[in-house]
Amino acid sequence: MPLLELRDVGKDYGSVIALDGITSTVRAGEVTCVLGDNGAGKSTLIKILSGVHRADRGEMLLDGQVVSFGAPREALDAGIATVYQDLAMIPLMAIWRNFFLGAEPTRGRGPFRRFDAAQARETTRLALQEMGIDIRDPDQPVGTLSGGERQSVAIARAVHFGARVLILDEPTSALGVKQAGVVLRYVAQARDRGVGVVLITHNPHHAYPVGDRFLLLNRGRSLGSFAKGEVDRDELTRLMAGGAELDQLAHELERPTS
Amino acid sequence: MFAFFAVQSEVFRSPRGIANWLDPASTLGIMAVAVALLMIGGHFDLSAGVMTGTTALTVGIVAVEFGQNIWVAIGVSLALALAIGFFNGWLVTRTGLPSFIITLGTFLMLQGLNLGLTKFFTDTVTVGGIDDAPGYAAAEWLFASRLSIAGTEFRVAILWWVLFTVLATWVLLRTRFGNWVFATGGDEVAARNVGVPARRTTITLFMTTATAAWFVGVTLAVRLTSVQANTGIGQELIFIVAAVIGGCLLTGGFGSAIGASLGALIFGMTQLGIPYLRWDADWFYFFLGAMLLLAVLANRLVRRYAEAARR
């Protein structure tokens, strides 16, 4: 049984159909890549999965049960964690404070209930170490980390808090080749720990090596869902850019042969 | 700052002198600490100054014009302050408009109400005779008594100021709520994404500022026993100045309660230090402005350091 399943999911913003007829599955220990150009409906899909919006049509199944989330907190509590592109962390706050943000461990009771800072620091260090992330000092502000490091810490955080489904929104888009590789390695690590990963990207070169399943979106509609064996990288790239449209473009851009 | 004035003025460094400049620093400090929390949470409250007037006038009007026990008056005043704070916070979170504009609106409305209602009830612009209300002695003990230390009388407000600073620091650094305040001010969307109740945090912060204004307002009413209708107007910017001198970023997400307290301390020292040196008091605002600029420049360095992402 898949961990998460979408059946014919759709969403409208007023009279605009943002997403329609999306069907896909996410299995534990697998990476499902959602590929699409700008405006393809990737962000709308994330918002439905993470509980920011409710789907207008179709249904979402978690462990075979129909679910519908009214708030990000509900999705989180069900084990669906989302790491957003630029909005994953608060730059001015220390790493350990970010790590436990919204899920702070406490000590004491009543008016003396307090944030257990010592434990938070130590747990952050251990959790990062477990994922093989080398952070010099958990007290440094997140703003001093590189983009790749930030994404890695965010992934480690989601895994630490028992995410069963991890949604990554364009984790590699703002990064250089080397940094992107680092992040993809942590994606693979989360997968190996049995997490079902949804990797959202517009870069087939990042998606292909790590993905087990590919969902292609174009203008809010599905262009098909493929397992890794059914499609190769070039085909993926071509489909993503709109297939025929790209052929047309290539034709137009060719030098006139006279 | 202390050394500068202390070296040049004997009165300034005497215990009596210290008690004198700690006094304006204390009421300002209580407000600056609350305003600092709000600023760390990413918002301004321009109505904080006039609210000290509103709460003080409420105490006066309920106690004197309605002849109630002063504790009843103080209770009514607190309820009113909490309501105003909630209104500010609710409107800001509901509309998403800058808190600067929303609280500017509240500020002007309260300024009008203060004057209008005071005139309506007393036919003058002052409420007086608060010390005749029943229960005044106990209220005076709590809000306006003097403690004698080493033969010098210190106002009890100084003690409250220290207490509030310690409490605010503890809340900021050692509670979940404190973590949420930093997060909401640092990046509200990101905070909400990881499950921080940003809206509730913001509303609570506005209500905290209102509560501080209530405390200071009651202190003024009990101490002076009469309240002018224009009390507190213009103070809101001073609170913000003290918080910024103390290291709060105008953009939110960074700062400390102790810093704001030190900002208030510097303010108090300068305000009384200048007359002690027999300088023209007109220079006071020049110094204040210069300190503000220096503080903002220093804050900019902090932010640059923290946001220098090495991509």
Side-chain angles (χ1 to χ4, degrees):
Chain A
M1 186 171 64
L3 196 53
L4 189 69
E5 196 177 349
L6 294 176
R7 286 185 189 159
D8 246 344
V9 166
K11 170 83 192 167
D12 304 335
Y13 293 120
S15 61
V16 182
I17 299 170
L19 213 56
D20 197 36
I22 304 299
T23 299
S24 188
T25 56
V26 182
R27 287 171 193 279
E30 282 192 7
V31 179
T32 299
C33 294
V34 178
L35 288 142
D37 207 354
N38 295 338
K42 293 178 306 209
S43 346
T44 309
L45 186 63
I46 300 175
K47 284 178 178 156
I48 292 171
L49 291 173
S50 62
V52 177
H53 292 323
R54 263 184 227 273
D56 291 326
R57 290 178 296 281
E59 49 193 17
M60 179 154 81
L61 288 86
L62 185 68
D63 298 319
Q65 304 282 319
V66 176
V67 286
S68 175
F69 302 121
R73 188 79 246 177
E74 290 174 31
L76 258 174
D77 289 342
I80 301 179
T82 311
V83 174
Y84 292 90
Q85 188 179 359
D86 289 324
L87 308 169
M89 302 227 174
I90 320 283
L92 284 166
M93 289 173 79
I95 296 171
W96 64 274
R97 282 188 180 271
N98 263 292
F99 198 89
F100 281 100
L101 189 57
E104 296 85 353
T106 55
R107 292 174 62 176
R109 45 181 68 230
F112 298 104
R113 214 163 79 107
R114 57 197 185 275
F115 185 3
D116 192 344
Q119 196 208 322
R121 266 200 199 91
E122 186 54 23
T123 315
T124 304
R125 212 177 51 78
L126 288 176
L128 293 180
Q129 217 168 50
E130 237 171 83
M131 290 284 286
I133 302 167
D134 179 33
I135 294 294
R136 288 136 300 217
D137 174 13
D139 269 310
Q140 70 191 42
V142 161
T144 60
L145 299 177
S146 69
E149 283 174 319
R150 275 190 234 187
Q151 288 289 339
S152 310
V153 172
I155 293 170
R157 169 171 71 183
V159 171
H160 175 79
F161 285 108
R164 299 163 61 219
V165 179
L166 177 61
I167 302 165
L168 301 170
D169 176 20
E170 301 272 7
T172 56
S173 69
L175 305 179
V177 177
K178 202 172 155 199
Q179 293 269 349
V182 171
V183 172
L184 289 176
R185 214 165 285 142
Y186 293 123
V187 171
Q189 257 201 48
R191 172 198 68 195
D192 295 342
R193 287 175 156 219
V195 178
V197 180
V198 180
L199 178 68
I200 287 149
T201 179
H202 61 255
N203 190 335
H205 301 286
H206 288 159
Y208 197 77
V210 77
D212 295 295
R213 196 173 294 277
F214 305 93
L215 169 68
L216 281 114
L217 296 183
N218 189 25
R219 293 185 192 156
R221 280 163 216 278
S222 170
L223 289 177
S225 183
F226 309 94
K228 193 161 195 165
E230 298 169 7
V231 65
D232 66 14
R233 192 187 305 219
D234 295 340
E235 178 70 5
L236 214 53
T237 315
R238 208 180 64 78
L239 277 170
M240 216 202 91
E245 284 169 42
L246 191 66
D247 293 342
Q248 172 78 27
L249 185 67
H251 183 69
E252 277 171 27
L253 293 178
E254 260 170 31
R255 288 172 193 282
T257 47
S258 52
Chain B
M1 187 61 69
F2 175 77
F4 175 76
F5 287 113
V7 166
Q8 306 202 25
S9 161
E10 195 180 330
V11 191
F12 188 84
R13 59 178 186 265
S14 71
R16 258 200 66 196
I18 292 175
N20 270 341
W21 53 253
L22 277 180
D23 177 38
S26 64
T27 46
L28 169 63
I30 293 171
M31 286 310 294
V33 165
V35 166
L37 292 191
L38 183 67
M39 281 179 70
I40 295 170
H43 291 283
F44 293 102
D45 189 351
L46 292 183
S47 66
V50 76
M51 226 189 300
T52 61
T54 307
T55 49
L57 289 166
T58 308
V59 170
I61 288 172
V62 174
V64 177
E65 302 301 321
F66 291 92
Q68 296 295 319
N69 187 297
I70 192 148
W71 292 102
V72 174
I74 289 171
V76 171
S77 181
L78 175 61
L80 182 72
L82 288 175
I84 298 169
F86 180 82
F87 176 76
N88 276 338
W90 180 79
L91 218 55
V92 166
T93 53
R94 194 75 205 181
T95 61
L97 288 168
S99 51
F100 196 85
I101 291 301
I102 302 261
T103 57
L104 183 60
T106 334
F107 165 43
L108 295 173
M109 281 160 63
L110 287 178
Q111 186 177 356
L113 277 178
N114 282 2
L115 198 59
L117 288 180
T118 308
K119 273 190 174 162
F120 176 79
F121 282 114
T122 66
D123 290 325
T124 63
V125 289
T126 319
V127 188
I130 295 171
D131 47 343
D132 294 334
Y136 177 78
E140 189 190 21
W141 177 81
L142 190 64
F143 290 104
S145 61
R146 290 156 184 275
L147 306 169
S148 187
I149 300 167
T152 312
E153 301 218 304
F154 288 87
R155 297 251 191 203
V156 73
I158 299 167
L159 189 67
W160 287 118
W161 170 37
V162 173
L163 267 176
F164 284 137
T165 308
V166 171
L167 183 69
T169 304
W170 183 77
V171 167
L172 263 183
L173 298 180
R174 283 293 173 269
T175 65
R176 305 188 68 183
F177 181 75
N179 218 28
W180 296 346
V181 171
F182 279 110
T184 309
D187 188 335
E188 193 178 337
V189 181
R192 202 171 287 146
N193 281 340
V194 295
V196 171
R199 188 168 285 182
R200 210 172 63 199
T201 306
T202 305
I203 293 180
T204 310
L205 284 173
F206 272 104
M207 290 174 79
T208 308
T209 317
T211 308
W214 162 78
F215 192 90
V216 171
V218 172
T219 302
L220 292 178
V222 172
R223 182 189 288 180
L224 304 174
T225 72
S226 74
V227 187
Q228 304 280 333
N230 65 355
T231 302
I233 292 169
Q235 290 290 304
E236 60 284 335
L237 291 178
I238 306 287
F239 305 151
I240 295 174
V241 168
V244 171
I245 288 177
C248 285
L249 285 184
L250 288 161
T251 40
F254 190 87
S256 73
I258 291 185
S261 265
L262 289 179
L265 191 64
I266 289 173
F267 185 94
M269 285 184 188
T270 318
Q271 195 177 26
L272 288 185
I274 286 175
Y276 281 162
L277 293 186
R278 292 176 204 287
W279 290 355
D280 197 331
D282 300 345
W283 287 93
F284 169 61
Y285 280 100
F286 176 81
F287 274 104
L288 195 66
M291 274 188 298
L292 180 65
L293 275 183
L294 278 176
V296 173
L297 290 175
N299 287 356
R300 208 170 59 130
L301 291 177
V302 171
R303 188 160 184 107
R304 262 205 206 144
Y305 160 73
E307 293 214 321
R310 295 174 294 108
R311 282 189 186 261

